[in-house]
PDB file of all heavy atoms in Angstrom:
ATOM      1  N   ILE J 114      25.872 -81.108   8.498  1.00 92.00           N
ATOM      2  CA  ILE J 114      25.358 -81.785   9.691  1.00 92.00           C
ATOM      3  C   ILE J 114      23.842 -81.968   9.604  1.00 92.00           C
ATOM      4  O   ILE J 114      23.276 -82.861  10.220  1.00 92.00           O
ATOM      5  CB  ILE J 114      25.756 -81.027  10.990  1.00 92.00           C
ATOM      6  CG1 ILE J 114      25.623 -81.916  12.220  1.00 92.00           C
ATOM      7  CG2 ILE J 114      24.942 -79.768  11.192  1.00 92.00           C
ATOM      8  CD1 ILE J 114      26.815 -82.729  12.521  1.00 92.00           C
ATOM      9  N   ARG J 115      23.183 -81.163   8.793  1.00 90.00           N
ATOM     10  CA  ARG J 115      21.725 -81.241   8.640  1.00 90.00           C
ATOM     11  C   ARG J 115      21.299 -82.288   7.616  1.00 90.00           C
ATOM     12  O   ARG J 115      20.127 -82.573   7.477  1.00 90.00           O
ATOM     13  CB  ARG J 115      21.176 -79.871   8.271  1.00 90.00           C
ATOM     14  CG  ARG J 115      21.156 -78.955   9.478  1.00 90.00           C
ATOM     15  CD  ARG J 115      21.159 -77.496   9.157  1.00 90.00           C
ATOM     16  NE  ARG J 115      20.998 -76.720  10.379  1.00 90.00           N
ATOM     17  CZ  ARG J 115      21.931 -76.533  11.296  1.00 90.00           C
ATOM     18  NH1 ARG J 115      23.121 -77.074  11.147  1.00 90.00           N
ATOM     19  NH2 ARG J 115      21.698 -75.830  12.388  1.00 90.00           N
ATOM     20  N   ASP J 116      22.261 -82.832   6.878  1.00 87.00           N
ATOM     21  CA  ASP J 116      22.001 -83.856   5.868  1.00 87.00           C
ATOM     22  C   ASP J 116      20.824 -83.467   4.953  1.00 87.00           C
ATOM     23  O   ASP J 116      19.847 -84.193   4.831  1.00 87.00           O
ATOM     24  CB  ASP J 116      21.735 -85.210   6.537  1.00 87.00           C
ATOM     25  CG  ASP J 116      21.813 -86.357   5.541  1.00 87.00           C
ATOM     26  OD1 ASP J 116      22.442 -86.193   4.474  1.00 87.00           O
ATOM     27  OD2 ASP J 116      21.229 -87.408   5.814  1.00 87.00           O
ATOM     28  N   PRO J 117      20.936 -82.307   4.298  1.00 88.00           N
ATOM     29  CA  PRO J 117      19.824 -81.808   3.485  1.00 88.00           C
ATOM     30  C   PRO J 117      19.691 -82.539   2.153  1.00 88.00           C
ATOM     31  O   PRO J 117      20.631 -83.171   1.673  1.00 88.00           O
ATOM     32  CB  PRO J 117      20.211 -80.351   3.246  1.00 88.00           C
ATOM     33  CG  PRO J 117      21.707 -80.401   3.214  1.00 88.00           C
ATOM     34  CD  PRO J 117      22.095 -81.438   4.247  1.00 88.00           C
ATOM     35  N   LYS J 118      18.510 -82.428   1.552  1.00 86.00           N
ATOM     36  CA  LYS J 118      18.284 -82.960   0.206  1.00 86.00           C
ATOM     37  C   LYS J 118      18.696 -81.942  -0.850  1.00 86.00           C
ATOM     38  O   LYS J 118      19.086 -82.309  -1.942  1.00 86.00           O
ATOM     39  CB  LYS J 118      16.810 -83.318   0.020  1.00 86.00           C
ATOM     40  CG  LYS J 118      16.351 -84.474   0.861  1.00 86.00           C
ATOM     41  CD  LYS J 118      14.889 -84.759   0.601  1.00 86.00           C
ATOM     42  CE  LYS J 118      14.402 -85.901   1.478  1.00 86.00           C
ATOM     43  NZ  LYS J 118      12.975 -86.170   1.266  1.00 86.00           N
ATOM     44  N   ILE J 119      18.560 -80.663  -0.509  1.00 87.00           N
ATOM     45  CA  ILE J 119      18.882 -79.580  -1.440  1.00 87.00           C
ATOM     46  C   ILE J 119      19.878 -78.632  -0.781  1.00 87.00           C
ATOM     47  O   ILE J 119      19.707 -78.239   0.374  1.00 87.00           O
ATOM     48  CB  ILE J 119      17.625 -78.791  -1.853  1.00 87.00           C
ATOM     49  CG1 ILE J 119      16.671 -79.699  -2.621  1.00 87.00           C
ATOM     50  CG2 ILE J 119      17.988 -77.567  -2.692  1.00 87.00           C
ATOM     51  CD1 ILE J 119      15.395 -79.025  -3.045  1.00 87.00           C
ATOM     52  N   ILE J 120      20.898 -78.254  -1.540  1.00 87.00           N
ATOM     53  CA  ILE J 120      21.911 -77.312  -1.080  1.00 87.00           C
ATOM     54  C   ILE J 120      21.851 -76.083  -1.983  1.00 87.00           C
ATOM     55  O   ILE J 120      21.779 -76.207  -3.209  1.00 87.00           O
ATOM     56  CB  ILE J 120      23.335 -77.908  -1.213  1.00 87.00           C
ATOM     57  CG1 ILE J 120      23.459 -79.234  -0.488  1.00 87.00           C
ATOM     58  CG2 ILE J 120      24.390 -76.914  -0.766  1.00 87.00           C
ATOM     59  CD1 ILE J 120      23.441 -79.130   0.991  1.00 87.00           C
ATOM     60  N   ILE J 121      21.928 -74.913  -1.373  1.00 89.00           N
ATOM     61  CA  ILE J 121      22.056 -73.667  -2.134  1.00 89.00           C
ATOM     62  C   ILE J 121      23.412 -73.076  -1.781  1.00 89.00           C
ATOM     63  O   ILE J 121      23.698 -72.812  -0.609  1.00 89.00           O
ATOM     64  CB  ILE J 121      20.932 -72.669  -1.794  1.00 89.00           C
ATOM     65  CG1 ILE J 121      19.581 -73.267  -2.147  1.00 89.00           C
ATOM     66  CG2 ILE J 121      21.162 -71.344  -2.528  1.00 89.00           C
ATOM     67  CD1 ILE J 121      18.393 -72.448  -1.691  1.00 89.00           C
ATOM     68  N   LEU J 122      24.254 -72.889  -2.790  1.00 86.00           N
ATOM     69  CA  LEU J 122      25.564 -72.268  -2.610  1.00 86.00           C
ATOM     70  C   LEU J 122      25.503 -70.905  -3.290  1.00 86.00           C
ATOM     71  O   LEU J 122      25.379 -70.822  -4.512  1.00 86.00           O
ATOM     72  CB  LEU J 122      26.662 -73.122  -3.248  1.00 86.00           C
ATOM     73  CG  LEU J 122      26.791 -74.550  -2.735  1.00 86.00           C
ATOM     74  CD1 LEU J 122      27.798 -75.326  -3.567  1.00 86.00           C
ATOM     75  CD2 LEU J 122      27.197 -74.548  -1.274  1.00 86.00           C
ATOM     76  N   ASP J 123      25.573 -69.849  -2.507  1.00 87.00           N
ATOM     77  CA  ASP J 123      25.455 -68.502  -3.043  1.00 87.00           C
ATOM     78  C   ASP J 123      26.815 -67.819  -2.970  1.00 87.00           C
ATOM     79  O   ASP J 123      27.186 -67.268  -1.940  1.00 87.00           O
ATOM     80  CB  ASP J 123      24.396 -67.720  -2.259  1.00 87.00           C
ATOM     81  CG  ASP J 123      24.130 -66.350  -2.858  1.00 87.00           C
ATOM     82  OD1 ASP J 123      24.703 -66.020  -3.914  1.00 87.00           O
ATOM     83  OD2 ASP J 123      23.348 -65.601  -2.255  1.00 87.00           O
ATOM     84  N   GLU J 124      27.554 -67.888  -4.063  1.00 82.00           N
ATOM     85  CA  GLU J 124      28.894 -67.292  -4.138  1.00 82.00           C
ATOM     86  C   GLU J 124      29.753 -67.749  -2.954  1.00 82.00           C
ATOM     87  O   GLU J 124      30.466 -66.954  -2.345  1.00 82.00           O
ATOM     88  CB  GLU J 124      28.796 -65.762  -4.165  1.00 82.00           C
ATOM     89  CG  GLU J 124      28.105 -65.188  -5.382  1.00 82.00           C
ATOM     90  CD  GLU J 124      28.938 -65.210  -6.650  1.00 82.00           C
ATOM     91  OE1 GLU J 124      30.093 -65.707  -6.626  1.00 82.00           O
ATOM     92  OE2 GLU J 124      28.440 -64.746  -7.680  1.00 82.00           O
ATOM     93  N   ALA J 125      29.710 -69.028  -2.647  1.00 77.00           N
ATOM     94  CA  ALA J 125      30.335 -69.586  -1.439  1.00 77.00           C
ATOM     95  C   ALA J 125      31.853 -69.479  -1.422  1.00 77.00           C
ATOM     96  O   ALA J 125      32.459 -69.582  -0.353  1.00 77.00           O
ATOM     97  CB  ALA J 125      29.912 -71.040  -1.258  1.00 77.00           C
ATOM     98  N   THR J 126      32.491 -69.272  -2.573  1.00 76.00           N
ATOM     99  CA  THR J 126      33.955 -69.184  -2.591  1.00 76.00           C
ATOM    100  C   THR J 126      34.460 -67.858  -3.142  1.00 76.00           C
ATOM    101  O   THR J 126      35.663 -67.681  -3.309  1.00 76.00           O
ATOM    102  CB  THR J 126      34.568 -70.330  -3.425  1.00 76.00           C
ATOM    103  OG1 THR J 126      34.121 -70.208  -4.774  1.00 76.00           O
ATOM    104  CG2 THR J 126      34.198 -71.689  -2.868  1.00 76.00           C
ATOM    105  N   SER J 127      33.583 -66.926  -3.409  1.00 75.00           N
ATOM    106  CA  SER J 127      33.979 -65.712  -4.128  1.00 75.00           C
ATOM    107  C   SER J 127      34.946 -64.812  -3.375  1.00 75.00           C
ATOM    108  O   SER J 127      35.729 -64.102  -3.996  1.00 75.00           O
ATOM    109  CB  SER J 127      32.743 -64.911  -4.533  1.00 75.00           C
ATOM    110  OG  SER J 127      32.105 -64.408  -3.393  1.00 75.00           O
ATOM    111  N   ALA J 128      34.915 -64.802  -2.063  1.00 71.00           N
ATOM    112  CA  ALA J 128      35.755 -63.880  -1.297  1.00 71.00           C
ATOM    113  C   ALA J 128      37.018 -64.542  -0.751  1.00 71.00           C
ATOM    114  O   ALA J 128      37.650 -64.003   0.144  1.00 71.00           O
ATOM    115  CB  ALA J 128      34.939 -63.279  -0.150  1.00 71.00           C
ATOM    116  N   LEU J 129      37.389 -65.693  -1.293  1.00 74.00           N
ATOM    117  CA  LEU J 129      38.504 -66.451  -0.732  1.00 74.00           C
ATOM    118  C   LEU J 129      39.742 -66.409  -1.613  1.00 74.00           C
ATOM    119  O   LEU J 129      39.653 -66.322  -2.836  1.00 74.00           O
ATOM    120  CB  LEU J 129      38.075 -67.913  -0.532  1.00 74.00           C
ATOM    121  CG  LEU J 129      36.850 -68.139   0.348  1.00 74.00           C
ATOM    122  CD1 LEU J 129      36.521 -69.624   0.406  1.00 74.00           C
ATOM    123  CD2 LEU J 129      37.065 -67.576   1.736  1.00 74.00           C
ATOM    124  N   ASP J 130      40.904 -66.534  -0.968  1.00 76.00           N
ATOM    125  CA  ASP J 130      42.147 -66.685  -1.717  1.00 76.00           C
ATOM    126  C   ASP J 130      42.181 -68.094  -2.317  1.00 76.00           C
ATOM    127  O   ASP J 130      41.345 -68.937  -1.999  1.00 76.00           O
ATOM    128  CB  ASP J 130      43.356 -66.445  -0.801  1.00 76.00           C
ATOM    129  CG  ASP J 130      43.421 -67.444   0.342  1.00 76.00           C
ATOM    130  OD1 ASP J 130      43.833 -68.594   0.093  1.00 76.00           O
ATOM    131  OD2 ASP J 130      43.039 -67.082   1.468  1.00 76.00           O
TER     132      ASP J 130
END
Side-chain angles (χ1 to χ4, degrees):
I114 198 87
R115 285 157 174 74
D116 195 21
K118 292 180 182 178
I119 296 179
I120 305 289
I121 299 172
L122 302 173
D123 186 4
E124 296 285 1
T126 62
S127 67
L129 303 178
D130 61 77

